[in-house]
Amino acid sequence: MSNTERTFIAIKPDGVQRGLVGDIIKRFEQRGFRLVAMKMIQASEDHVKQHYIDLKDMPFYGGLCAFMHSGPVVAMIWEGLNVVKNGRLMLGETNPADSKPGSIRGDFCITLGRTIIHGSDSLDSANKEIALWFKPEEMVEYKSCQNGSCMSK
């Protein structure tokens, strides 16, 4: 049985501004995940509020939405075996102080309010977030060349 799935990953404004986009993409590629869609976007306040709607009753909601609206975000869809769970492991803990070295937050973050990256926490949230950030025509289907399957004869 295949556990190939898709997840939503967003590099937050602090990750973009610090020039970490390439390093983060490289980690997902090296892990063997396939990039299906990517775009840089300055998300509207309403868009960000919709993205974090499940946190609307939390005291940090307003600040989080303001921060996510403050600069460009790199939104991505990654595909692969258990990518939701593995992607979250790659990100590290929400609090960077609790993140292990080798995780994205463990290597690049020090402050809870600036965690540089967002990743879907479940398959359901991944599907909702993908639909919120991407239109179906923005996703690209292609064969991986890793096994020579796309080489011409």
Side-chain angles (χ1 to χ4, degrees), residues 65-77:
C65 291
F67 168 65
M68 286 294 288
H69 173 64
S70 71
V73 170
V74 174
M76 299 174 284
I77 302 171

Side-chain angles (χ1 to χ4, degrees), residues 38-78:
M38 179 173 70
K39 62 183 169 183
M40 181 179 278
I41 183 171
Q42 176 86 34
S44 71
E45 187 175 358
D46 287 340
H47 190 92
V48 172
K49 285 181 177 180
Q50 184 61 39
H51 177 83
Y52 286 114
I53 195 71
D54 59 323
L55 301 174
K56 71 179 183 330
D57 296 327
M58 303 301 280
F60 57 83
Y61 176 73
L64 175 61
C65 291
F67 168 65
M68 286 294 288
H69 173 64
S70 71
V73 170
V74 174
M76 299 174 284
I77 302 171
W78 288 92

Side-chain angles (χ1 to χ4, degrees), residues 2 15 18 20 22 28 33 47 67 75 80 84 93 100 103 106 108-109 119 122 140 147 153:
S2 174
R18 289 179 53 203
L20 298 173
F28 278 85
F33 296 127
H47 190 92
F67 168 65
V84 174
E93 301 298 323
K100 293 183 167 119
S103 69
F108 298 124
C109 299
S122 70
V140 178
N147 300 327
K153 293 182 180 181

Side-chain angles (χ1 to χ4, degrees), residues 21 35 37-39 52 57 63 90 96 116-117 123 139-140:
V21 174
L35 185 61
M38 179 173 70
K39 62 183 169 183
Y52 286 114
D57 296 327
M90 290 172 63
I116 72 167
I117 194 163
L123 194 52
M139 296 177 222
V140 178

